[in-house]
Amino acid sequence: MATTRTALITGAASGIGAEIAQTLFREGCHVVIADRKEPDYLKSLSSADQQARFIPTDLSKQSDCQYLVEQALNEFEVIDILVNNAGFQHVSQLEDFPETVWENMLKVMLTAPFLLTKYVLPKMKQQGWGRIINMGSIHSQIASLNKVGYIAAKHGLVGLTKSTALEGGPFQITANVICPAYVRTPLVEQQIAAQAETLGISLEQVESEVFLKASATGKMIEPEEVAAMVSYLCSDQAKSITGVCWTIDGGWTAQ
Ligand code: NAD
């Protein structure tokens, strides 16, 4: 990236978001990290020409979303890149799915991306350049059992992305959604451990026989693969790519 862009990444204290923040910093961006907890790598993001800021944020709260963008704009004037990445999982069949969890999932994984997009757009439009990347999932495209809140929120992100792409297009603002299958992060490691206990089999067996059952490549996806896609979508070469789901699934949905 030639210009020093400012990237705001949510859920960047862990997993995929942490990898994205570190990658964009390495590639020359200022980074604003929004999460409930401070990232342990924050101090390692050091450069004379770039800033790395952590703004403690609970994305389930509208007031936190608004404060986050106000603070970031005060310091950096414009947010060039918004990565709506934060998310969490809850596994339960539909009739037992707690209503409070459903509400919180939609707040964090659909309403917060809408709010942050709404708040960053005016300055992006003024400068005539922007990149919005929403972290969807293979569950933005297909369903699996017992994940109704996650699947509904992730499908909703596709609609948000397409709408943003249409409204942002005339201002050279692109919006895309990345749809990975299982990526090796704490979110998935917790699910593997829970399944191993339920099924009474080893972690390795759960990984290969349950999580990678539908994968043609038979490999867990690494966070670096997702960060590389973000990096490409943020580049000037990707200026005509917008409103699209980018599936990274080892061939799962080719079946
Ligand atoms: P992770 O659990 O490692 O990281 C998620 C981060 O989001 C955490 O740092 C957490 O603190 C933050 N977060 C959660 N709720 C928050 C809130 N209310 N306010 C602020 N921050 C909050 O998970 P991950 O695997 O890196 O997942 C990142 C994104 O990628 C999620 O949207 C997830 O749905 C998506 N995704 C993950 C996978 C996978 O297999 N790991 C696959 C497809 C999509």
Side-chain angles (χ1 to χ4, degrees):
M1 280 170 222
T3 329
T4 303
R5 305 279 192 198
T6 299
L8 192 166
I9 307 113
T10 70
S14 171
I16 296 171
E19 194 60 43
I20 293 170
Q22 291 172 93
T23 299
L24 292 180
F25 189 87
R26 240 185 352 261
E27 293 181 353
C29 291
H30 302 302
V31 293
V32 179
I33 294 164
D35 205 304
R36 283 176 307 197
K37 52 189 180 192
E38 182 166 334
D40 54 14
Y41 61 83
L42 190 65
K43 288 193 176 65
S44 71
L45 302 186
S46 152
S47 149
D49 309 318
Q50 291 165 255
Q51 312 285 323
R53 285 282 174 273
F54 167 61
I55 302 181
T57 310
D58 180 351
L59 293 157
S60 67
K61 297 186 177 145
Q62 182 275 339
S63 53
D64 275 29
C65 292
Q66 194 172 350
Y67 178 82
L68 167 66
V69 175
E70 280 169 7
Q71 288 301 303
L73 289 177
N74 275 345
E75 192 160 349
F76 297 102
E77 290 182 10
V78 65
I79 294 161
D80 306 280
I81 298 166
L82 170 65
V83 185
N84 283 308
N85 165 78
F88 62 98
Q89 183 59 277
H90 181 87
V91 180
S92 158
Q93 58 179 351
L94 201 153
E95 62 264 41
D96 300 325
F97 207 91
E99 290 159 34
T100 49
V101 176
W102 165 272
E103 275 170 22
N104 201 33
M105 279 191 140
L106 290 186
K107 278 184 189 165
V108 175
M109 292 161 58
L110 188 54
T111 302
F114 158 70
L115 292 172
L116 298 184
T117 300
K118 178 177 163 149
Y119 302 151
V120 303
L121 265 180
K123 285 284 179 72
M124 276 187 183
K125 282 187 174 178
Q126 254 176 35
Q127 73 165 0
W129 195 96
R131 295 287 185 267
I132 296 174
I133 295 162
N134 293 320
M135 196 53 62
S137 160
I138 196 69
H139 290 121
S140 297
Q141 296 169 318
I142 58 162
S144 298
L145 286 171
N146 304 331
K147 295 181 177 174
V148 65
Y150 187 87
I151 290 163
K154 293 297 189 189
H155 273 69
L157 267 185
V158 176
L160 172 65
T161 306
K162 288 180 178 174
S163 299
T164 310
L166 293 191
E167 294 191 31
F171 303 90
Q172 309 312 313
I173 298 164
T174 67
N176 288 282
V177 55
I178 299 182
C179 298
Y182 292 111
V183 185
R184 197 182 300 283
T185 70
L187 181 139
V188 159
E189 276 157 5
Q190 283 158 20
Q191 290 177 63
I192 292 177
Q195 286 275 305
E197 202 173 318
T198 308
L199 300 172
I201 56 178
S202 70
L203 297 175
E204 292 72 26
Q205 278 174 299
V206 175
E207 196 169 306
S208 62
E209 294 168 21
V210 182
F211 282 71
L212 295 173
K213 197 172 163 203
S215 164
T217 56
K219 298 256 188 266
M220 288 294 262
I221 298 156
E222 299 300 330
E224 293 80 357
E225 299 173 59
V226 182
M229 176 68 81
V230 171
S231 169
Y232 175 64
L233 291 173
C234 290
S235 71
D236 284 327
Q237 288 90 331
K239 66 179 190 280
S240 306
I241 300 174
T242 192
V244 182
C245 297
W246 291 91
T247 305
I248 308 177
D249 71 350
W252 180 340
T253 50
Q255 301 168 56

